[in-house]
Amino acid sequence: MSCTEGFHVPVGPDAQRWVTRRSRRTALMIVHTVTSGQRLMDVAHLLAADLRIQVVFTNGPDVFGNGVAELLGRLGGAVLPWHIAVRHNFDLAISAAYGGIERIHSPLVVLPHGAGYNKRVSRRLGGGAVACRGTYGLSAQELVRDGMVLPAAIVLTHEAELKRLARSCPEAIPVAEVIGDPVYDRLVASAAERPAYRRALGVDDDRELVVVASTWGQRSLFGRQAELLRWVLAELPKERYRVAALLHPNIWFGHGVWQVRGWLTESVRDGLALVPPEAEWLGALVAADHVVGDHGSVTVYGAAAGAPVLLVDGTEDDVDPDSAGGLLAATAPRLRFDRPLAAQLGEVAASHHSQRYADVTARVTSAPGRFDRNMRKLLYRLMRLPQPPSIPRAEPVPVPFLTHTD
């Protein structure tokens, strides 16, 4: 949808003159990155069918904003330019990142875009000095401006995050609510679709699927050991194993989709199943027999899906030790490059059992199966509207698809 300074519908000073339906409430989805946009769609669907509500989108400022315009274009929603969104009053605003949120003049809900709040980031003090590392999303740097807590509600996935928030930003405790984790709920809802996901990824009944997962950044798997994909493909017999890669959208859009495809052309030709950033990645984890990953949220969800995990060493300092990612880093076996990979996968699988990562899974959410109900209740309370009579529930994710480099 084309947006100009003269934006009139569906919001604006004279919008009621032009719209076909007059909405009682307007909700703004602030999409900073493709990753946060994907998480926001877990929220937007809770409002989409309500004829009383108009949902609009805007592209919030972020260094990883590449790809957001294309994402919003595929959604087909009404898109407001950021400079107009910050001048308009909405009944509700929702964000899964923090850039520019101090400019929003509406009740704001913030939620994590990963497996809870798990990433530790460095803080810069005046003069460029680096302070101690804090957990992204739970610190005053993101949540407070000029002594005021910015969000009207902070969505937490687990009761344990209340204690962590109390240590890092106690003034935000009154607006924090334990809601749950939508990805975990959809993971559980998708379990029965495992055969369909495996077919979509080209995994025959007599083969095992190895998912290699990388978050973004120079300390990630792909940042430190991009050659690992070539090594995995060379190590594993193709007649027994299928290898798939899940790369964080910040890799794809930070370097450019064209570039990432170029870097991985030879790997795809050698049999790598490369899941593009616009595809539904969760189905690959449901389909996986093994996960090789780093400290990112995808590896955590892989463990929660029940897959044996081999963790790439040296990245555990990047996660909060009290988070689900921290628990996984403390317990998962490490990948070794001096031993045959097939033997390592076999050993980890042989010792794996359903309760191997029970503590990790339990830390992902303390409200399993209840994100949709809890989140909708929060949103409608803030908008001062009665909820629809239907009971929302998590649905299975669509089948994934693969990218081609030719």
Side-chain angles (χ1 to χ4, degrees), residues 154-206:
I154 301 169
V155 171
L156 306 180
T157 63
H158 198 283
E159 295 285 347
E161 290 176 341
L162 282 170
K163 297 179 181 179
R164 295 162 61 201
L165 182 63
R167 294 195 299 266
S168 60
C169 189
E171 58 268 47
I173 286 293
V175 298
E177 298 198 32
V178 177
I179 300 297
D181 187 301
V183 175
Y184 177 81
D185 290 353
R186 297 198 78 186
L187 194 67
V188 173
S190 301
E193 302 301 319
R194 176 177 161 88
Y197 301 146
R198 291 173 67 83
R199 287 193 299 271
L201 293 169
V203 183
D204 302 328
D205 291 341
D206 57 350

Side-chain angles (χ1 to χ4, degrees), residues 34 38 74 201 245-249 252-253 257 260-261 273-281 400-404:
V34 170
Q38 291 170 340
R74 290 194 299 270
L201 293 169
L246 295 178
L247 304 182
H248 194 288
W252 285 98
F253 296 109
V257 172
V260 175
R261 285 176 174 168
L274 182 59
V275 180
E278 67 271 19
E280 178 51 69
W281 54 271
F401 57 88
L402 303 178
T403 192
H404 301 284

